[in-house]
Amino acid sequence: MDELPIGRRVAYWRGRRKMSQQVFADRLGKSKSWVDKVERGVRRLDKFSVVYEIADVLQVDVQLLLGKDVERRPDSINCIDQVEVEEIRQALERYDQMSAFFQPAPQCPPLPEMRKAVSHAWLTFQHAKYGVLARTLPKLLRDAQAADTAHSQGEDARDAAHLLGQVYQIASSALRKLGEHELSWLAADRSIAVSQRAGDQLLAGIASYRVGSALLALGRARPSLEVNVNIANRIAPGHDMGTPERLSVYGMLLLNGAMAAARIGDSATVRDLVCGAEEAARALGGDFNHYWTCFGPTNVQLHRAAAAVELGDGRTAIETHEQIDQEGFAALLPERRAHHYLDIARGYTQIGDVEKASEMLLEGDRLAPSEIRCRPLAHEVLSDVLRRTRGTPAAPIAELAEHMGVGV
């Protein structure tokens, strides 16, 4: 994007922030006509003060607008910056398989080495190390794509496709957390296609879960509900209740469907889907991480609380939270637990208890800082807490707000 005129860069980032020209103009104190002329290159941006103001409104580094390399800031070490987003985008936009028709397949790491790298990436995500993951994802995507292309006709074809499908899912999950929902959807959709080539129904099933999550993040709750329920019905365990892996993927699809149903206010469907997931969790007999799902009885309870929050029933969410088995909760990976604290913080704001909401945010931050400091949703919750706080906020929450750049 460096070679684009500055007006085109402004238009690009305005589109990424989902602002209309009118909204953008209003925030700048300019006319829509002025914005249109800047983006078309008819009007020059020759004042640095205006460029800085535009960068501030678009929430990007001014160097990106000027087409220069951005120096990564120390305070972004646990999060993702625009440079990393663009690197991941470029990796997702590669079409190595098509290129292989015209030239030799690219060099790639050995598959055993790739398996280790993919497992490490999953654990990095589940420990909520999003900044670390963002810096490794572009290379991991390129390596997995190259491996899939290099082994497309050999006996290792399914293994290579399986690894690429997993990497797309890791990318989708991380991008969704960080607010890059369109890219998250693209990566999840890619994973479905690759999973079919891998010949693994459950990998395709959990890829559908990622698609459903991305659709929900994009505000497309009904399509999210449909894709989760449809695929869950296709892989539903039989009378023997199936394998632990099948139970895990099936259960997570039902839980994701419940979250979509909650978003549209369908409490009856939420209840049915959570009950179905609860039955699968009982059959599973504990909390496991098959297909990187962290599925089991404890995760069902976490989703029950999260669905209550989505339905606007903060009190039920808190009651559910208080009944969660503490031993099972402590055994979950940091991302799951910190995510839950964020959900319960939202529940406490719904009943007007900003002090307890603050405690939940701080607990999540102590456990997995990136889950709180890097997620747009957490910024919204913290802003809500600060707005509702009477007088000066407590020192720990004020310090967290300062770290996150949220105005007190």
Side-chain angles (χ1 to χ4, degrees):
M1 198 170 66
D2 290 353
E3 69 277 6
L4 293 179
I6 188 170
R8 291 281 300 282
R9 292 192 205 102
V10 169
Y12 170 80
W13 285 107
R14 177 180 60 76
R16 288 288 304 281
R17 298 298 181 245
K18 295 184 170 56
M19 285 187 215
S20 66
Q21 283 189 336
Q22 186 62 63
V23 169
F24 183 45
D26 290 344
R27 292 184 183 180
L28 284 171
K30 304 286 187 182
S31 67
K32 181 182 175 183
S33 172
W34 184 91
V35 170
D36 182 63
K37 287 176 181 176
V38 165
E39 292 185 348
R40 289 189 293 114
V42 175
R43 185 183 187 104
R44 293 184 61 186
L45 286 175
D46 48 13
K47 289 185 179 179
F48 277 110
S49 60
V50 176
V51 176
Y52 274 99
E53 189 176 357
I54 289 172
D56 186 53
V57 170
L58 294 175
Q59 297 181 320
V60 299
D61 193 296
V62 70
Q63 300 299 317
L64 276 178
L65 293 182
L66 296 173
K68 297 179 181 178
D69 290 336
V70 179
E71 199 172 308
R72 288 181 171 86
R73 304 180 306 279
D75 64 351
S76 71
I77 191 164
N78 289 321
C79 295
I80 187 170
D81 60 29
Q82 290 96 9
V83 174
E84 289 150 359
V85 170
E86 290 312 301
E87 289 175 352
I88 294 169
R89 177 187 294 278
Q90 289 168 16
L92 285 171
E93 288 174 345
R94 290 162 62 92
Y95 286 87
D96 283 351
Q97 277 211 317
M98 181 61 72
S99 301
F101 281 110
F102 306 102
Q103 60 190 33
Q107 293 293 316
C108 63
L111 290 185
E113 187 178 318
M114 282 296 306
R115 288 190 196 95
K116 290 180 183 177
V118 172
S119 292
H120 184 265
W122 273 121
L123 289 172
T124 303
F125 172 77
Q126 293 191 323
H127 282 82
K129 305 291 186 182
Y130 302 137
V132 175
L133 182 59
R135 284 181 272 284
T136 60
L137 261 177
K139 183 178 186 303
L140 186 59
L141 279 162
R142 290 192 295 270
D143 286 347
Q145 289 163 339
D148 182 54
T149 300
H151 296 286
S152 61
Q153 303 299 322
E155 59 183 17
D156 292 325
R158 288 196 168 190
D159 284 348
H162 204 285
L163 289 169
L164 178 57
Q166 290 185 63
V167 175
Y168 280 141
Q169 290 193 41
I170 296 166
S172 176
S173 297
L175 289 163
R176 177 178 51 82
K177 288 273 191 183
L178 299 164
E180 297 292 336
H181 303 321
E182 293 283 356
L183 276 183
S184 173
W185 186 20
L186 172 63
D189 186 68
R190 290 275 180 85
S191 180
I192 287 181
V194 175
S195 300
Q196 291 176 12
R197 287 197 285 105
D200 186 338
Q201 273 193 349
L202 299 183
L203 185 67
I206 206 65
S208 301
Y209 165 90
R210 312 287 173 197
V211 168
S213 296
L215 286 169
L216 188 58
L218 285 164
R220 304 283 294 158
R222 288 194 182 279
S224 175
L225 175 60
E226 289 172 7
V227 71
N228 280 291
V229 172
N230 286 344
I231 302 302
N233 287 337
R234 292 179 185 227
I235 67 167
H239 295 298
D240 60 354
M241 290 310 292
T243 64
E245 293 81 6
R246 183 172 291 271
L247 285 166
S248 298
V249 174
Y250 170 70
M252 286 308 294
L253 285 163
L254 293 182
L255 291 177
N256 212 22
M259 295 305 299
R263 185 72 61 85
I264 58 180
D266 187 348
S267 57
T269 299
V270 171
R271 185 171 56 252
D272 289 346
L273 293 176
V274 171
C275 286
E278 198 167 39
E279 185 180 340
R282 279 197 300 269
L284 186 61
D287 296 291
F288 297 97
N289 202 18
H290 300 301
Y291 278 79
W292 307 96
T293 56
C294 285
F295 180 71
T298 308
N299 207 353
V300 171
Q301 288 296 88
L302 266 56
H303 279 78
R304 192 189 297 277
V309 171
E310 286 294 336
L311 288 166
D313 188 358
R315 194 161 300 281
T316 295
I318 293 160
E319 289 171 359
T320 304
H321 165 69
E322 291 171 347
Q323 295 167 7
I324 289 171
D325 175 64
Q326 289 305 301
E327 187 176 345
F329 183 71
L332 293 178
L333 288 161
E335 177 273 332
R336 270 284 75 219
R337 287 184 282 156
H339 185 143
H340 174 69
Y341 284 128
L342 179 55
D343 286 332
I344 299 306
R346 294 173 65 201
Y348 275 117
T349 62
Q350 288 174 352
I351 65 169
D353 192 339
V354 294
E355 185 177 343
K356 291 295 288 184
S358 299
E359 287 180 19
M360 293 297 100
L361 288 172
L362 292 169
E363 195 65 40
D365 185 62
R366 280 191 288 271
L367 179 64
S370 292
E371 181 68 16
I372 304 301
R373 301 187 186 197
C374 301
R375 294 194 62 189
L377 177 60
H379 284 242
E380 292 174 16
V381 176
L382 180 54
S383 294
D384 192 23
V385 166
L386 294 173
R387 279 196 303 272
R388 293 165 177 256
T389 300
R390 294 180 180 179
T392 304
I397 204 71
E399 185 179 347
L400 178 61
E402 184 179 355
H403 281 303
M404 292 171 63
V406 177
V408 178

